[in-house]
Amino acid sequence: MKTTTTLLHSIPADPLTGAISVPIYQTSTFVQEAPGVNQGFDYARSNNPTRKVLEDLVAVLEDGSNAYAFASGLAAIDAVVKVLEAGDEILAVDDIYGGAFRQFTHIFQKFGIKVTYADTTKVENVVDAITPKTRLIWLESPTNPTLKISDIREIAKIAEANNCLLCVDNTFASPVGQNPINLGADLVVHSATKYLGGHSDLIAGIVVTKTPELGEKIKFIQNACGTILSPFDSWLTIRGIETLPLRFERHSKSAQQIAAFLTNCELIRNVYYPGLIDHGNYEIAVKQQRLFGGVIAFDLKVDSAELATEIVCSTKLFKLAESLGGAKSLLCHPATMTHKSIPREKRYNTGVTDSLIRLSVGLEDAEDLIEDLKTVFKTVGEKTKKLTQTSTQN
Ligand SMILES: *Cc1c(COP(=O)(O)O)cnc(C)c1O
């Protein structure tokens, strides 16, 4: 069967009533026949039928043995790190999501888990940075916001040879674009807030495991720490996932068109999109991804935060907001928004210049989105021309 058919038919009709939409089991507890005799559910932190449908569905999508749903992407990341012990080390991609960096640095280092960072786009950097204490390799591919790609298959081999777990944050590729477990990863996390939910209307996270043994560990942590996803948000996420393949194909198709348009804009210096042949990691991207998603980043020839700010404040269809993966297009200015707390020099090392702008291409018609950008570039372009003319006159 094809993916979308498998996906839709992995969502069961309600066995009690036949309801085609999964019921929202808004309950804290379940009546037992005798102590310990129940229908597989006893307390809703430990297990909830609505959440279970979502968890089983994402396990199927990612080709994992088990999946667990959490209150946010960061809660999912937190659960993975808790598999480790004090004294263990994490080797993470240097271009990591800011919230994961904050959690690793300000929460887990306090409990004796050390984190080191490397540019994982080069496999030899992973080999160099690994130590006998490294127990977890943490990748994001593509990364945020400059869409760097790491070779998951090769790094999985290194992880295995060093008795390490490999976890991939697959938020940007979604299960439709890439399946890290099939490339050798042990764990996958998602911020389901983004493509899985897909409508900018919830916060949620998922952990998927390759094996039932790892699944048991994550399940224990989910129950022991209690950072579960609510029944209603589980239902919303299931509903979002029903259209994920359709949405992700459209996001990717439009983004490819917009990236091509941006490449030919006079104002722009670099365009970052893994589907462009001149993207630095294009060859690996094509090897491990089926689709490249809806996130594009670009910066300006005149590297000015003011100009970038003017652009992000002037578009009509692209709304200025953090987050990505929703039906409506968004854009943001990482230097003053998502990456504000990162020192300028460190920011520049990963390509996050003052003029970098990130787009999350939504489901609108690509022609309209291009028109929106064109209009703004025209106004801003005229202003820049005037600016450079006055400065040469002076
Ligand atoms: C948004 C995001 C997260 C965090 O997810 P939340 O649902 O906001 O907690 C983690 N990783 C990546 C790549 C993200 O984009």
Side-chain angles (χ1 to χ4, degrees), residues 31 47 175 186 189 346:
V31 176
N47 221 334
D186 301 288
V189 302
K346 193 164 179 290

Side-chain angles (χ1 to χ4, degrees), residues 72-75 77 97 140 169 171-172 191-194 203-204 324:
S72 68
L74 280 177
I77 294 172
Y97 175 72
E140 272 171 46
D169 182 334
T171 301
F172 273 45
S191 168
T193 311
K194 318 291 169 53
I203 299 283
L324 59 113

Side-chain angles (χ1 to χ4, degrees), residues 312 318-324 330-333 337 358 360:
V312 299
F318 283 95
K319 304 290 186 196
L320 178 62
E322 292 182 14
S323 200
L324 59 113
L330 303 177
L331 86 180
C332 72
H333 181 228
M337 295 168 77
R358 186 188 78 184
S360 167

Side-chain angles (χ1 to χ4, degrees), residues 204-227:
I206 307 269
V207 178
V208 189
T209 62
K210 177 157 83 178
T211 63
E213 295 72 41
L214 257 180
E216 278 307 308
K217 287 186 187 174
I218 297 293
K219 166 92 196 150
F220 182 85
I221 293 163
Q222 183 195 41
N223 185 45
C225 298
T227 48

Side-chain angles (χ1 to χ4, degrees), residues 30 153 179 238 328:
F30 301 84
R153 222 182 247 115
N179 297 123
I238 296 166
K328 289 185 182 166

